[in-house]
Amino acid sequence: MTLGPEMQSHLDDLLSDAMHSPQSRRTLMQRALAVGGAAGLAYVFPKAVFSQAATPEATPGGEAPGVHIAGGDVELADEQVIRLGMTEPKSMDPGVSTGYDELGIFFNIFDGLTGIDMATGEVVPRCADSWDVNEDATEYTFHLNPNVTWNNGDPITAADFEYSWKRVLDPDTLSLYRPAMHPIKNGLAIDSDTDPMDFNELGVTAIDDVTLQVQMEASCPYFPLLTSTWTYYPVPRAIVEEHGDAWVEAETILSNGPFKMVEWNHDQSIILEQSENYYGEKPTITRAEYTIFPDDSDQEYISFENDELDFAWPSASDLERIASDSEAMATIHQFAQSNCRFVTCDTKTAPTDNADFRRALYAAIDRDVIATTILKGTAVPALNVIPADIPGNNPEAVNPVGEEAAKAALEASGIDPATIELEYSYRVTNEIKLVAEYLEQRWPEVLGIKVKLNPIDAAAYSDYVSSRGDQPFNTKYGTWGSDFADPSNWHNQNFISASDHYYLSWKNEEYDALCAEAVSETDADARNELYRQAEVLLVHDAAYIPVYRGVASVAVKPWLVDFHVQPILAYAHLRLPKIAAH
Amino acid sequence: MLAIYTITFFLIHATPGSPWSNQDKPMPKAVTDRLNEAYGLNDPLWKQYIDYLTNVLRGDFGPSFTSRSRTVTDIIIDTFPTSLQLGIVAMVLAVIAGITLGTIGAVKHNTWIAYLSSFLAIIGISTPSYVVASLLVLFLASYLGLVPTNGWDGVASTKIIIPALALSFYPAAILARYTRSSLLDVLTTDYVRTARSKGLKDRAVIIRHALRNALLPVVTVGGVVFADIITGSFFVETISGVPGLGRYFVTSISTRDYPVVLGTVLLFGFVITLMNLIVDLIYPLLDPRITR
């Protein structure tokens, strides 16, 4: 272990860079899990899952969000081999994974009941040919394609899905993603702290080989979206039971997608090859070679520049370096992420229990400076909370901003700024630190208050947050990324007082009532309207002060065509892409 | 080794945070409780201390929290041979370069060649390996395109050039300095003067008589340096994409992967102890008086 003392100080920066750089999908992937008991919906994906919004206004400019490179009639290369980068997977078991870089592998080697069409973002059938749903969306019946098989040719039956879903809640599985099953009936009861139910009581039943019936805990109109995600993928029972946690190693793993994993050289590479037994349409790509980069490496984009990769995630510093190089910039594609970084305020403790004071904090932040100067274009300002690609978002749910508005709000609060020393706690990564330092300088400048920063080690931050329920704080960093294109994933999941995911003790009865009404509303327009009204209250109360949203950049070689990256779960899916002759 | 274990164990457990906490948003308590229970993290510290120690004595270093399909032993088996191979190649380079430079520096004392060698040694000591590695990637891979920017294919591949050079830079400089100062001392001793007065050639005096004695302190330092580089370097491995052990020393701490921290630290302690033993065994070969 060579780690000279002079290197030690660089270490934190390196590590934190890795945490924040857009190079890493991890930015998009602020892993999140639900707090059990969130009303109606207790389920969160690590990063936004589905970009395609249900309503047209969700895609401003009429362009599908994400990266979409058309193919057309191009001459194809003889060798359809794609080369990509990733980081070492945490768990290659879809029932366990919280959604790290292994997702990029999952999407290509596994098939769920449903999947997402990368070009349109819509839910499409995969293992299930079709499904029926009852009127209030509390019961689903999936009809499996009788031809679906594992990569070794063995058939997949409804019982495989029943086993795999129940296995997630089996205490022995030690899944990190148990809440994924909470929308299914008894999911929450199985995870009850006080009196847990047996995991076999989960509301999923294989009626026969090709029919899977699912009872929901509550109305869940977006369930077919959920079944396209990795926690709902089937796992091969015999192999799992024989090999335990190690079943996912390349020697033993069995999956059911268009590709199969043939090599996993830890910390080095993963090789996928087309599966000869795939029941669906065969992809054009025959082989995928993933180079595994260390978590905190800047080498991925350098490899791309050296023509060693076809697709890569440049870091912020890479982007700065190539900004004036038009040839290099031509390979860069940018898209807005479906997330929001905000300042959260303690509403049980002075001075942030004062809504006018919180609005003063909201107004004082110059979001353009953060987006363009501090974060150098890797962010866009956010004045409302819900991102534009989520239906029911309300871009008009904003408070007045600027120095005048800030001073007016401070005046209205009746608080003497000279008496205030405001603490701001944050998770120490580069990006978050930069913004914290801006706030430390900006709030005093505009409001005349003092600001004290309280940096918290990345590995200790979520412990800090979850201990704030009964302990005072002033303000702290918070973030959320869409898990799927439904506003309940934001409001009901996080902000209603029954969830209070960020431990702010914020309660607005009118807001809670609107969200409760919206989540069970089956008419999409009426539902979105209710959520738009709710967002006005959410932003007006300013317990959550939206600041900015991330912008992701990917680098794509010109010969990679029919290539799509969705802004939510932004991984390279290999079903559609082709390598053009070059 | 017990002291190393004890100190590491309590340090890592005294650090705030938990293996499941390294993210923006909290995990549900039900999930973390179950994980803590399964991995024994709910037990009192003294029990965890004894349990882990007993397991280690049985050869079981425990599971990795962050790489679920592997145990700590798997990780060490996967990564240590890589670091070892790379370290040996780097050490060979370092010994050749270091002793040559140091000898030149001592023999040509006060000439421009000596100054140049001292200058190179100082550069080597003061340049962090990540700078060297980055520069090598920039020149050898990006500009000249002689070698790939990163990767690992074993010792017999051009991919080893960048990490081996980067890794050997610092130890070479250290060895050069020790060789030089130790050789300078030896060159003024009586027996060297005797050897010269016998009419032996300069080359024979230096290699047969002076250098052999001068190497004693160099071997001592070399042992520690060698233990250091065969257990991997975080920066060099990170920059040149070598799947070695070094990165686990660092990432396991930031992710609070307790078993990996303990396993790697114990391994490091073991290697250091082993190298010291080997160094002690080499002394008598260089200087038979030591056995008496």
Side-chain angles (χ1 to χ4, degrees):
Chain A
M1 177 193 63
T2 36
L3 197 65
E6 80 279 4
M7 302 173 187
Q8 194 72 55
S9 63
H10 295 265
L11 194 58
D12 287 343
D13 280 346
L14 267 179
L15 289 171
S16 65
D17 271 343
M19 299 307 294
H20 98 285
S21 70
Q23 155 219 11
S24 54
R25 286 116 290 198
R26 295 173 293 282
T27 322
L28 310 176
M29 184 171 47
Q30 300 307 345
R31 273 148 298 150
L33 286 160
V35 173
L41 166 76
Y43 181 36
V44 180
F45 287 105
K47 54 185 182 183
V49 184
F50 307 102
S51 68
Q52 194 61 21
T55 50
E57 82 263 17
T59 55
E63 215 170 274
V67 174
H68 299 278
I69 298 166
D73 289 328
V74 291
E75 193 190 333
L76 294 186
D78 295 338
E79 282 213 328
Q80 291 295 317
V81 178
I82 187 171
R83 300 157 306 163
L84 312 113
M86 65 182 300
T87 58
E88 173 72 12
K90 301 283 182 203
S91 169
M92 202 59 102
D93 185 334
V96 170
S97 170
T98 56
Y100 210 66
D101 264 10
E102 56 263 30
L103 295 191
I105 305 292
F106 288 163
F107 294 140
N108 297 310
I109 68 171
F110 284 101
D111 257 4
L113 289 174
T114 57
I116 301 295
D117 183 318
M118 278 298 111
T120 64
E122 278 163 15
V123 177
V124 291
R126 290 257 202 260
C127 290
D129 268 340
S130 63
W131 52 90
D132 308 318
V133 54
N134 68 354
E135 205 162 279
D136 59 353
T138 53
E139 185 181 298
Y140 284 83
T141 309
F142 290 91
H143 305 287
L144 266 66
N145 176 340
N147 299 324
V148 294
T149 59
W150 299 103
N151 289 154
N152 63 3
D154 292 350
I156 293 181
T157 64
D160 286 317
F161 281 93
E162 183 187 335
Y163 162 77
S164 305
W165 295 7
K166 286 180 174 171
R167 171 179 173 266
V168 174
L169 291 183
D170 180 347
D172 292 339
T173 307
L174 290 179
S175 173
L176 300 165
Y177 230 55
R178 307 170 62 88
M181 293 295 153
H182 287 178
I184 300 178
K185 189 171 181 183
N186 293 338
L188 279 172
I190 292 165
D191 267 353
S192 152
D193 282 344
T194 46
D195 182 24
M197 194 186 263
D198 185 79
F199 70 93
N200 283 308
E201 300 295 315
L202 188 70
V204 51
T205 321
I207 306 284
D208 57 37
D209 275 0
V210 292
T211 314
L212 187 75
Q213 197 179 61
V214 190
Q215 315 275 336
M216 308 309 298
E217 188 78 48
S219 172
C220 188
Y222 48 83
F223 188 60
L225 275 181
L226 299 190
T227 55
S228 75
T229 60
W230 65 99
T231 321
Y232 286 86
Y233 290 165
V235 296
R237 181 172 196 160
I239 291 175
V240 172
E241 286 175 351
E242 188 186 341
H243 298 280
D245 273 348
W247 77 272
V248 295
E249 296 290 327
E251 297 74 35
T252 45
I253 192 170
L254 183 60
S255 61
N256 67 330
F259 292 87
K260 57 183 180 181
M261 186 165 85
V262 294
E263 277 181 44
W264 180 6
N265 308 305
H266 288 278
D267 299 313
Q268 257 181 297
S269 61
I270 288 180
I271 310 290
L272 308 185
E273 275 174 10
Q274 221 180 67
S275 162
E276 57 275 18
N277 289 315
Y278 187 57
Y279 58 92
E281 197 180 329
K282 292 244 163 80
T284 310
I285 302 268
T286 55
R287 182 180 162 93
E289 300 172 352
Y290 292 82
T291 303
I292 297 179
F293 293 91
D295 279 1
D296 16 41
S297 149
D298 256 350
Q299 299 303 301
E300 183 173 340
Y301 183 70
I302 293 174
S303 298
F304 176 87
E305 284 180 311
N306 229 23
D307 278 350
E308 293 162 22
L309 298 178
D310 302 313
F311 170 70
W313 293 75
S315 69
S317 56
D318 291 325
L319 290 170
E320 235 181 302
R321 171 165 59 83
I322 61 169
S324 57
D325 179 347
S326 60
E327 198 183 326
M329 285 308 285
T331 64
I332 303 290
H333 303 257
Q334 295 190 311
F335 57 91
Q337 295 171 358
S338 188
N339 63 19
C340 186
R341 315 267 191 242
F342 34 75
V343 172
T344 58
C345 305
D346 184 0
T347 63
K348 64 182 178 301
T349 320
T352 44
D353 58 346
N354 183 318
D356 282 307
F357 182 72
R358 299 197 298 265
R359 279 188 283 272
L361 296 176
Y362 175 107
I365 300 169
D366 189 336
R367 291 163 178 79
D368 288 327
V369 170
I370 292 179
T372 53
T373 314
I374 312 277
L375 299 180
K376 302 200 169 74
T378 59
V380 288
L383 285 162
N384 69 327
V385 175
I386 318 296
D389 60 324
I390 301 299
N393 81 87
N394 188 349
E396 275 145 37
V398 297
N399 295 338
V401 286
E403 297 190 17
E404 292 306 308
K407 286 182 178 125
L410 183 64
E411 180 101 27
S413 73
I415 287 174
D416 174 11
T419 64
I420 301 296
E421 190 184 43
L422 191 76
E423 188 180 79
Y424 178 72
S425 306
Y426 61 97
R427 184 174 189 265
V428 183
T429 70
N430 235 357
E431 175 191 310
I432 301 168
K433 190 172 87 186
L434 287 173
V435 175
E437 282 160 0
Y438 167 79
L439 296 175
E440 184 192 25
Q441 169 277 117
R442 178 69 179 173
W443 278 336
E445 178 185 303
V446 177
L447 301 173
I449 60 173
K450 286 199 191 74
V451 171
K452 194 175 108 202
L453 294 187
N454 177 28
I456 293 170
D457 186 82
Y461 189 68
S462 75
D463 280 355
Y464 169 81
V465 170
S466 51
S467 66
R468 294 304 100 182
D470 44 14
Q471 291 179 52
F473 65 98
N474 288 155
T475 55
K476 61 179 166 56
Y477 161 83
T479 182
W480 190 256
S482 304
D483 304 321
F484 44 91
D486 193 282
S488 64
N489 176 233
W490 287 76
H491 293 286
N492 303 69
Q493 178 59 51
N494 297 308
F495 307 140
I496 58 170
S497 59
S499 294
D500 196 15
H501 201 111
Y502 297 89
Y503 301 90
L504 309 187
S505 311
W506 176 66
K507 185 178 173 76
N508 178 324
E509 276 164 19
E510 201 185 337
Y511 171 82
D512 283 355
L514 276 172
C515 290
E517 192 185 344
V519 76
S520 52
E521 172 64 61
T522 46
D523 178 75
D525 289 341
R527 192 166 187 263
N528 291 344
E529 183 49 38
L530 288 169
Y531 275 123
R532 274 192 283 272
Q533 292 171 22
E535 193 176 356
V536 172
L537 298 175
L538 175 71
V539 176
H540 181 74
D541 264 15
Y544 302 87
I545 301 173
V547 182
Y548 64 93
R549 306 183 207 286
V551 171
S553 301
V554 296
V556 186
K557 288 289 181 196
W559 52 80
L560 192 53
V561 297
D562 276 329
F563 184 73
H564 305 268
V565 178
Q566 294 286 344
I568 316 187
L569 288 182
Y571 285 96
H573 289 235
L574 307 179
R575 286 166 208 270
L576 301 177
K578 303 179 176 80
I579 309 283
H582 59 276
Chain B
M1 292 297 280
L2 188 68
I4 294 175
Y5 169 69
T6 310
I7 293 171
T8 315
F9 181 89
F10 287 105
L11 270 183
I12 185 80
H13 282 277
T15 318
S18 81
W20 333 114
S21 184
N22 198 6
Q23 53 204 0
D24 274 348
K25 302 175 222 166
M27 287 249 228
K29 202 166 167 301
V31 175
T32 50
D33 278 355
R34 246 170 266 261
L35 289 163
N36 284 336
E37 187 65 40
Y39 289 121
L41 295 176
N42 283 339
D43 295 337
L45 263 193
W46 64 265
K47 186 166 184 302
Q48 292 185 43
Y49 175 86
I50 292 173
D51 285 352
Y52 191 81
L53 188 60
T54 343
N55 287 339
V56 167
L57 293 177
R58 278 199 233 108
D60 174 10
F61 288 85
S64 163
F65 296 156
T66 51
S67 185
R68 272 288 291 272
S69 55
R70 292 191 293 172
T71 64
V72 177
T73 313
D74 290 338
I75 289 178
I76 290 175
I77 290 174
D78 277 354
T79 56
F80 185 49
T82 305
S83 291
L84 186 64
Q85 290 170 34
L86 177 60
I88 290 173
V89 172
M91 195 64 194
V92 169
L93 291 177
V95 167
I96 295 172
I99 293 184
T100 314
L101 264 184
T103 311
I104 293 173
V107 174
K108 309 278 183 189
H109 190 47
N110 282 340
T111 67
W112 67 270
I113 302 181
Y115 291 134
L116 182 69
S117 95
S118 305
F119 179 71
L120 285 178
I122 286 169
I123 297 268
I125 285 172
S126 51
T127 312
S129 60
Y130 59 84
V131 173
V132 181
S134 303
L135 288 174
L136 287 171
V137 170
L138 191 64
F139 287 111
L140 296 183
S142 288
Y143 288 169
L144 301 176
L146 296 176
V147 291
T149 53
N150 63 74
W152 176 255
D153 262 342
V155 176
S157 148
T158 53
K159 287 179 181 170
I160 200 177
I161 292 175
I162 290 175
L165 282 179
L167 206 52
S168 66
F169 216 66
Y170 179 76
I174 291 272
L175 294 180
R177 279 180 48 149
Y178 273 91
T179 311
R180 178 178 170 274
S181 62
S182 158
L183 195 55
L184 276 179
D185 283 349
V186 172
L187 284 177
T188 55
T189 52
D190 289 344
Y191 72 86
V192 171
R193 225 172 295 149
T194 312
R196 282 190 206 277
S197 65
K198 283 197 298 186
L200 284 179
K201 285 191 178 136
D202 243 16
R203 176 181 295 264
V205 173
I206 290 161
I207 295 177
R208 295 266 319 275
H209 296 265
L211 196 55
R212 187 163 164 181
N213 282 296
L215 279 182
L216 272 181
V218 177
V219 168
T220 315
V221 178
V224 177
V225 168
F226 185 58
D228 201 29
I229 67 174
I230 60 172
T231 46
S233 153
F234 172 70
F235 289 105
V236 171
E237 287 175 7
T238 300
I239 291 170
S240 34
V242 175
L245 187 61
R247 66 175 77 159
Y248 282 95
F249 278 106
V250 175
T251 52
S252 64
I253 294 171
S254 62
T255 57
R256 308 287 188 271
D257 196 343
Y258 304 138
V260 178
V261 175
L262 290 168
T264 49
V265 168
L266 286 176
L267 178 74
F268 188 48
F270 175 74
V271 172
I272 292 256
T273 317
L274 186 70
M275 284 320 299
N276 279 326
L277 180 69
I278 292 177
V279 166
D280 283 348
L281 294 176
I282 290 179
Y283 281 157
L285 300 180
L286 289 171
D287 185 352
R289 282 172 303 177
I290 289 175
T291 42
R292 279 177 220 136

